[in-house]
Amino acid sequence: MKKLLSTISNFFIFFLLSAFVTSCCVMLFVSLLQSSIGRAFTQEEITVAAKITMLNVILLSVGMAIIDYVRRKFTVERPVKRITEATSKMMEGDFSVRIHPTAKFATDDSFNEIIDCFNKMASELSGVETLRTDFIANVSHEMKTPLAVMQNYGTLLQAPDLPEEKRIEYAKTITDASRRLADMMTNILKLNRLENQQIYPNPTTFDLGEQLCESLLQYESVWERKNIEIETDIAEGVLVSADTELLSLVWNNLFSNAFKFTEDGGKVTLTLAADEEYATVKIADTGCGMSAEVGAHIFEKFYQGDTSHATQGNGLGLALVKRVVDIMQGEIGVESAVGVGTTFTVRIRRANYGPDEAR
């Protein structure tokens, strides 16, 4: 009914427009013709001409209305319908929907611009939805393990004749599981705030070598317990302009991984070098290493290439590291070989100071 009324309305618009233009043209033509031939037309001749003109006006109006209807059908209504249907599917949760561009000769190219933007939006939303689904699945899986541990050992603790050493052992297991769960929640919140740009870096100028040494010394008890050799080569006076708290998060995670995967009697190496623009930090270990396939995924959330150490982490540390380095507009890379070890390389832009100070 709505389309019928629209068609009738368009017809009357074309009819009035055609009647006005045609009447003006006919009146001008008759006036000039009478002047040129010096003869006035009779009433009967004018009546016949008016009827013929009216018939022409009606035919022209109908023709233009039909042409306009067909034009709108193919150049407007059809692409609008396709976009509307695709939008409805997207609203229902189908982010795989895509719209094929229309033929340029059949419609205004503006619709293709809208379709291109729609397809890009659908692609982005599809990626976000996949990440969200994977994130929820991974979080659920990661939470299930420590919760199951806490539940099982909590049940064992209720035994009335439980020896004291077993009670302490079970209580420690529950504490470790709860700490792992708390650390995971903390890292999830940090990562969420970083990805949503709710944490804004507060850059200050500081000595990077001193910060690296402070971070390394936090693991002194670990390397002494595992008899790990520490080798350092730290350039002096390397100043960087960065957020100290966020950058500490990077070093703590990288050192934690290095000591976690290095066996007793192994070696961890820290080097700091600098050129005029960047400071380059390398943290290497002689641990188990990893394959190229594993190395391609280590910065993904919840990914853990070595499942034998899964209870010591939650797969979020390197995702945090990557996000922080990106925020700092730095670079991070990894080189590793199975059975040889792993080296992480981080490049951070140096503080802006004069060439005399740089030397």
Side-chain angles (χ1 to χ4, degrees):
M1 186 65 182
K2 188 176 181 181
K3 288 185 177 181
L4 179 61
L5 292 175
S6 176
T7 303
I8 295 173
S9 174
N10 287 339
F11 169 75
F12 277 108
I13 291 173
F14 286 122
F15 175 78
L16 294 174
L17 180 62
S18 300
F20 175 76
V21 173
T22 305
S23 298
C24 291
C25 291
V26 169
M27 290 174 64
L28 180 61
F29 174 75
V30 170
S31 176
L32 292 174
L33 184 61
Q34 289 184 128
S35 300
S36 62
I37 65 175
R39 172 181 176 273
F41 294 106
T42 64
Q43 183 65 36
E44 184 180 354
E45 291 174 331
I46 293 176
T47 301
V48 173
K51 291 179 179 179
I52 295 174
T53 301
M54 176 59 71
L55 180 60
N56 287 332
V57 168
I58 293 174
L59 292 175
L60 284 172
S61 300
V62 172
M64 286 190 290
I66 293 173
I67 293 173
D68 181 66
Y69 175 79
V70 174
R71 180 192 65 82
R72 290 180 58 85
K73 189 73 174 179
F74 286 94
T75 64
V76 178
E77 292 183 9
R78 181 171 293 183
V80 167
K81 183 180 180 182
R82 291 168 59 199
I83 294 172
T84 303
E85 290 176 350
T87 304
S88 299
K89 290 182 180 179
M90 187 178 292
M91 291 172 61
E92 294 172 359
D94 182 8
F95 297 106
S96 64
V97 63
R98 298 293 185 273
I99 307 174
H100 294 293
T102 59
K104 292 186 177 181
F105 68 90
T107 184
D108 188 347
D109 197 47
S110 299
F111 280 109
N112 282 336
E113 294 180 8
I114 296 173
I115 289 172
D116 185 53
C117 291
F118 178 91
N119 289 338
K120 289 179 180 178
M121 177 183 67
S123 179
E124 291 293 329
L125 288 175
S126 177
V128 171
E129 179 65 15
T130 300
L131 289 175
R132 186 187 70 85
T133 303
D134 291 345
F135 183 79
I136 292 174
N138 287 326
V139 169
S140 302
H141 176 74
E142 292 295 328
M143 290 181 64
K144 186 187 299 183
T145 302
L147 287 174
V149 169
M150 294 165 66
Q151 183 179 8
N152 293 336
Y153 280 90
T155 302
L156 293 173
L157 278 174
Q158 298 176 20
D161 55 347
L162 187 68
E164 181 66 15
E165 61 273 12
K166 287 294 183 182
R167 184 185 65 80
I168 295 174
E169 178 186 347
Y170 295 164
K172 182 179 182 302
T173 303
I174 293 175
T175 302
D176 292 341
S178 62
R179 183 179 296 112
R180 180 187 171 197
L181 190 61
D183 290 343
M184 183 179 67
M185 292 296 104
T186 300
N187 285 338
I188 287 175
L189 291 174
K190 286 181 180 178
L191 189 57
N192 181 66
R193 293 176 65 191
L194 285 169
E195 290 184 335
N196 289 287
Q197 297 182 346
Q198 295 176 354
I199 294 179
Y200 298 96
N202 180 27
T204 57
T205 301
F206 59 93
D207 191 308
L208 182 57
E210 292 182 2
Q211 186 187 52
L212 287 167
C213 290
E214 291 174 0
S215 297
L216 179 60
L217 287 173
Q218 295 180 23
Y219 296 89
E220 183 175 6
S221 59
V222 178
W223 81 59
E224 288 181 348
R225 174 170 51 84
K226 299 180 71 173
N227 193 29
I228 293 176
E229 179 186 353
I230 302 297
E231 181 178 319
T232 60
D233 182 10
I234 301 176
E236 296 182 358
V238 178
L239 301 180
V240 296
S241 179
D243 188 304
T244 56
E245 183 178 350
L246 289 179
L247 207 53
S248 292
L249 185 66
V250 172
W251 312 135
N252 289 337
N253 274 284
L254 293 181
F255 282 132
S256 175
N257 278 348
F259 289 115
K260 178 170 69 174
F261 291 105
T262 301
E263 302 297 334
D264 294 1
K267 180 179 177 181
V268 171
T269 304
L270 166 65
T271 61
L272 169 62
D275 54 28
E276 292 185 358
E277 188 174 359
Y278 285 96
T280 302
V281 178
K282 291 187 177 182
I283 298 175
D285 63 65
T286 57
C288 57
M290 54 188 165
S291 64
E293 182 181 358
V294 172
H297 299 281
I298 58 171
F299 295 113
E300 297 176 5
K301 288 176 283 191
F302 296 105
Y303 184 82
Q304 291 180 296
D306 183 4
T307 55
S308 64
H309 292 80
T311 57
Q312 302 177 34
N314 46 54
L316 288 172
L318 290 178
L320 278 169
V321 167
K322 181 67 167 63
R323 184 58 184 146
V324 169
V325 172
D326 288 344
I327 289 176
M328 299 291 179
Q329 297 182 344
E331 301 173 5
I332 183 169
V334 59
E335 297 177 4
S336 186
V338 177
V340 177
T342 303
T343 300
F344 283 93
T345 302
V346 180
R347 299 180 72 221
I348 301 294
R349 191 177 297 277
R350 297 190 64 184
N352 294 324
Y353 50 88
D356 293 338
E357 293 174 279
R359 286 193 291 269

